[in-house]
Amino acid sequence: MNFEVMNKRVTFLRISTSKGEYGGQASARTDVCTVWASVKDLSGRMLFAAQAVNSEVTTEIRIRKRADVSGCTEIAHGATAYEVLYLLDDGASRELVAMCKKVL
C-alpha cells in the first residue's frame, strides 16, 4: 500500500430519502466524510446507440479503510461526481477500493 499517492480530496455522499408533506418522497445528498484518496481512471468507452453518443469512464478510488462509507452511493471530487458501483475490501489490507462510474 502506497499512501503517498493519496493526494486528492474526495467526499463520500449518501442519499437519504424522506416522506414529503404530501406523501411523495424527497431525496437529499448528505456528506458522510471527506478523505484523502487516490483517483485513477481505468478505462473509457463511447457507446453509439440511437444516434446518441454516450461515454462511460470507469474510475478506481482508493482510501484508507473506514467503516462509515459502506452505504455511500456517490463520491464527489471537485466538480466531478462518481457513482459507486461497488466497494472492495479484502479484510486483510488497510485500504478500501471503490469502483466507480463517472457521472457525465
Side-chain angles (χ1 to χ4, degrees):
M1 180 168 28
N2 196 359
F3 286 123
E4 59 264 5
V5 298
M6 293 187 181
N7 57 1
K8 308 283 192 273
R9 292 295 276 178
V10 298
T11 302
F12 281 78
L13 305 165
R14 184 173 290 138
I15 297 176
S16 58
T17 58
S18 62
K19 207 166 227 187
E21 183 178 334
Y22 297 106
Q25 289 201 357
S27 61
R29 289 179 176 86
T30 56
D31 293 355
V32 175
C33 63
T34 300
V35 296
W36 290 102
S38 167
V39 179
K40 182 167 73 169
D41 289 336
L42 298 178
S43 69
R45 65 181 174 161
M46 293 188 69
L47 306 170
F48 297 95
Q51 296 187 357
V53 178
N54 297 318
S55 60
E56 183 177 290
V57 178
T58 304
T59 304
E60 174 187 88
I61 298 176
R62 290 180 176 267
I63 66 166
R64 290 187 176 104
K65 189 183 283 190
R66 295 179 62 108
D68 59 348
V69 297
S70 63
C72 294
T73 57
E74 291 186 5
I75 298 174
H77 174 240
T80 307
Y82 299 94
E83 176 187 348
V84 177
L85 301 175
Y86 48 91
L87 287 171
L88 299 173
D89 176 18
D90 63 0
S93 74
R94 298 182 332 202
E95 63 182 22
L96 276 172
V97 179
M99 300 304 292
C100 305
K101 181 172 71 170
K102 191 179 287 190
V103 178
L104 301 174

